[in-house]
Amino acid sequence: MTERERVLKALRREKPDKVPRELSFGAFTPALMEVFKEKTGAEDPAEYFNFEVRSLSFKVPEGREQFLKYYSDLPEGARIDEWGTAKVKGSMFHYEHFLYPMEKFESVYEIEEYPFPDFMSPENHSHFESEVKKYHDRNLAVMGELTTTIFEVAWGMRGMENLLTDFILNPEFAEALLDKVFDLRLQQAKRYASVGVDIIRFGDDIGQQTGLIMSPETWRKWIKPRFAALISAVKEINPDILIFNHCDGDATLLIPEFIEIGVEVLNPVQPECMDPVKVKKEYGDKLSFWGTIGTQTTMPFGTPEEVKKVVKERIETVGEGGGLLLAPTHILEPEVPWENVLAFFEAIEEFGYYS
């Protein structure tokens, strides 16, 4: 069985030859990446550990000067992303503080005049065909990246508190902003579907440690219809494309509705927030699961033996009959011992084969 076949079989809830695996977002945080390079002499974790899937992304549109007018006093060293959100290095590691270009906006007109990114310029996606062919020729699955799909992008420009307030007090503004982000994401999603990726990774973090950051009713009104439309559009182009939804935290309440709108792969299934075994029992006939290995518990604080024990348990429970791609539930932080990284991959080789 090829690597691509393994991924597709697992994510279609069939039994592959072994459990596929990766690291969340395909890499480590910067400090742990340096440990990886020092220990292995390699540059790319996906190649070194032989992940079965590779990601495809739009290039970031050039030019940030047009956003400077939205900041009166930009801190030294701040970077501005393609949406105009400024990010300032935090106190440790890779953490950043966000500054919001739309924080003081008062009218829909200001949204209409805002310089949103032009992802569809040919130079930002002309590499797609060759990249997909390159990976498919190597028998690897390909995933189109649209994580932080709508809600996270919108609050990154407006501020989360402001956007949640807009939902109640300024709905016309909220609708205009979400619709603009949706229109851009729709163009990107259709491009991914037309070029032959196997999976599209959608995602918006609407969960926190013990529940949702908004009411289910708010999600249903503002986010669900737009996600449903994205999924419908890509399925119309390619019915075989797999729909991946990333949502950190406890999203248990919304799982039935994720399924309803066409989600097929749920990520990351944080064991500190959701019971992966229970979720598998309740929804394993309709969903596959990507992740499940805790980055708040097992990976940083377990021993290598405990990491192997958890991996074995996940394979025997969540992976029963297929439907599992094992990964840490988020990008690994500097606290994770290198021995635990090795234990994760060693355990999959030891326990991950189906009979």
Side-chain angles (χ1 to χ4, degrees):
M1 182 174 294
T2 69
E3 290 86 349
R4 183 185 180 202
E5 290 170 341
R6 180 179 302 138
V7 170
L8 298 182
K9 216 167 186 50
L11 298 184
R12 289 176 178 142
R13 304 180 304 282
E14 301 169 4
K15 189 189 291 187
D17 59 339
K18 64 178 287 192
V19 175
R21 74 275 193 237
E22 69 136 14
L23 295 172
S24 286
F25 304 106
F28 302 103
T29 48
L32 196 54
M33 179 64 83
E34 290 307 309
V35 175
F36 162 75
K37 292 177 180 179
E38 177 187 337
K39 295 289 187 180
T40 67
E43 296 288 328
D44 185 351
E47 293 295 325
Y48 183 81
F49 290 112
N50 297 315
F51 300 165
E52 294 97 336
V53 62
R54 296 292 189 277
S55 290
L56 182 69
S57 300
F58 281 79
K59 292 180 180 177
V60 175
E62 294 183 1
R64 306 291 192 283
E65 295 78 12
Q66 69 267 34
F67 298 116
L68 293 176
K69 64 183 178 181
Y70 299 102
Y71 298 99
S72 58
D73 187 19
L74 200 61
E76 184 177 350
R79 68 182 184 91
I80 300 178
D81 72 13
E82 65 268 33
W83 297 96
T85 301
K87 299 176 181 181
V88 182
K89 187 173 176 58
S91 59
M92 63 179 69
F93 308 138
H94 57 292
Y95 300 130
E96 295 178 308
H97 299 290
F98 284 25
L99 302 175
Y100 314 114
M102 295 187 182
E103 184 173 21
K104 300 188 184 302
F105 279 19
E106 296 179 353
S107 69
V108 171
Y109 173 78
E110 290 171 289
I111 296 173
E112 294 170 348
E113 293 298 304
Y114 188 78
F116 286 92
D118 179 12
F119 293 106
M120 300 312 293
S121 290
E123 65 270 16
N124 295 325
H125 58 88
S126 60
H127 60 292
F128 278 11
E129 281 79 6
S130 61
E131 289 284 294
V132 170
K133 183 179 186 305
K134 177 181 73 174
Y135 291 134
H136 281 173
D137 285 349
R138 294 178 57 193
N139 293 313
L140 298 170
V142 182
M143 177 162 61
E145 293 286 353
L146 278 182
T147 312
T148 65
T149 310
I150 298 173
F151 175 64
E152 287 190 76
V153 169
W155 78 247
M157 291 184 282
R158 179 63 166 161
M160 184 183 290
E161 184 176 340
N162 287 340
L163 183 60
L164 292 175
T165 302
D166 290 335
F167 287 165
I168 300 168
L169 300 181
N170 198 358
E172 183 183 8
F173 185 96
E175 185 167 12
L177 177 55
L178 292 184
D179 281 349
K180 182 61 180 180
V181 175
F182 167 80
D183 288 343
L184 296 175
R185 289 310 203 196
L186 181 61
Q187 295 173 20
Q188 293 178 282
K190 286 182 173 181
R191 176 71 172 127
Y192 279 134
S194 67
V195 80
V197 301
D198 303 294
I199 310 156
I200 291 188
R201 189 202 306 252
F202 294 119
D204 273 322
D205 289 337
I206 53 171
Q208 53 188 344
Q209 203 75 9
T210 57
L212 303 174
I213 65 174
M214 64 181 74
S215 70
E217 291 76 18
T218 299
W219 179 80
R220 290 177 191 128
K221 177 178 180 180
W222 292 102
I223 312 300
K224 180 181 179 180
R226 293 174 172 86
F227 257 89
L230 284 176
I231 293 169
S232 176
V234 299
K235 284 288 191 178
E236 186 173 336
I237 295 169
N238 180 4
D240 293 328
I241 202 166
L242 286 158
I243 304 299
F244 174 122
N245 185 42
H246 167 87
C247 179
D248 285 340
D250 182 2
T252 307
L253 276 175
L254 297 180
I255 290 177
E257 295 180 68
F258 290 161
I259 295 169
E260 175 195 329
I261 62 175
V263 171
E264 297 160 292
V265 183
L266 184 64
N267 167 268
V269 197
Q270 285 182 257
E272 301 87 0
C273 308
M274 305 165 65
D275 182 345
V277 178
K278 183 178 179 182
V279 173
K280 168 77 172 191
K281 286 180 179 177
E282 291 189 22
Y283 304 108
D285 61 331
K286 297 180 177 67
L287 283 177
S288 57
F289 306 98
W290 184 312
T292 79
I293 305 298
T295 54
Q296 295 175 319
T297 50
T298 301
M299 292 304 296
F301 303 121
T303 64
E305 291 72 24
E306 288 168 338
V307 171
K308 289 186 176 184
K309 181 175 182 287
V310 171
V311 169
K312 184 174 185 289
E313 289 174 351
R314 293 287 190 274
I315 291 169
E316 293 173 346
T317 55
V318 183
E320 183 179 6
L324 175 65
L325 190 150
L326 268 174
T329 52
H330 212 281
I331 190 167
L332 293 179
E333 302 286 350
E335 298 90 347
V336 175
W338 178 247
E339 293 75 17
N340 286 3
V341 176
L342 295 180
F344 169 74
F345 289 105
E346 289 168 0
I348 296 173
E349 290 303 311
E350 185 175 353
F351 306 117
Y353 286 84
Y354 290 96
S355 57

